Amino acid sequence: NLLDEIIPESVQETPPAPVVEEKVETPAAVVEEKVETPATVVEEPPAAIVPPTVHDLAIWSPPLTAQDKELLVKILAAINEDFEKANLMEGINAYEPHYHKLLCFGYQKELELKLGTAVASYQPTKVSDKQILVSAAPADLHADKNEKGRLWTALQEMFLK
């Protein structure tokens, strides 16, 4: 063969080794479906299902001293309301909007923010279906006969007429 003579053996092409495909059978991956059951969460029922208690009378005021409480008990007795039956909300964060009538002592600006409307002091005001009366804080009423008089007039208008 002429090629054999011209091209040394080392350069001649050697036929490629046959490719042997090995078929390794791997079992199909077993997919286990893990259905995670969440831990049982006891959810509180939404407020819509259990309506909050709507109080006939609520009082929102700064924390009361014994003297403040005594004053409010007397004021309420004068308009035939029982202090013990009223929903007393003491402190700036205690406000809840579940009432028919509200006596707000000392939190006028905060109440206006919550209601989204201005409320004048010592003037019974109707907001939505609620009657509201704003007054100075009990601590400011003790020594101020004028403020007490304005409060008394407003209370009579709101409760006794």
Side-chain angles (χ1 to χ4, degrees):
N1 184 345
L2 185 62
L3 267 179
D4 290 338
E5 292 172 16
I6 303 170
I7 304 170
E9 216 174 284
S10 61
V11 181
Q12 286 185 12
E13 282 189 36
T14 49
V19 178
V20 178
E21 280 190 35
E22 281 188 46
K23 283 197 175 177
V24 179
E25 287 201 25
T26 49
V30 179
V31 178
E32 280 187 41
E33 277 194 42
K34 282 191 179 175
V35 178
E36 287 196 28
T37 49
T40 309
V41 178
V42 179
E43 287 187 30
E44 294 295 316
I49 295 171
V50 182
T53 304
V54 176
H55 302 274
D56 187 47
L57 176 62
I59 299 167
W60 187 29
S61 79
L64 300 174
T65 63
Q67 193 183 8
D68 295 341
K69 183 176 175 182
E70 194 179 305
L71 176 68
L72 292 185
V73 168
K74 286 180 184 169
I75 289 171
L76 291 182
I79 54 167
N80 307 315
E81 290 288 341
D82 183 348
F83 179 82
E84 296 304 322
K85 287 185 183 159
N87 179 31
L88 180 62
M89 303 179 289
E90 285 185 88
I92 198 150
N93 296 317
Y95 178 83
E96 290 176 5
H98 314 299
Y99 52 81
H100 294 296
K101 294 176 181 167
L102 173 69
L103 297 180
C104 175
F105 293 93
Y107 288 141
Q108 182 174 7
K109 293 209 175 348
E110 292 81 358
L111 181 64
E112 290 176 340
L113 284 172
K114 291 187 181 300
L115 298 175
T117 185
V119 183
S121 294
Y122 305 110
Q123 229 168 339
T125 308
K126 208 165 175 76
V127 177
S128 301
D129 56 347
K130 301 169 182 188
Q131 276 194 293
I132 294 166
L133 180 59
V134 176
S135 162
D140 301 329
L141 292 171
H142 296 296
D144 195 327
K145 283 200 166 31
N146 180 36
E147 293 282 307
K148 269 196 253 185
R150 291 176 69 198
L151 174 59
W152 173 238
T153 303
L155 286 168
Q156 286 175 303
E157 195 178 311
M158 184 164 160
F159 289 89
L160 302 177
K161 287 187 177 168

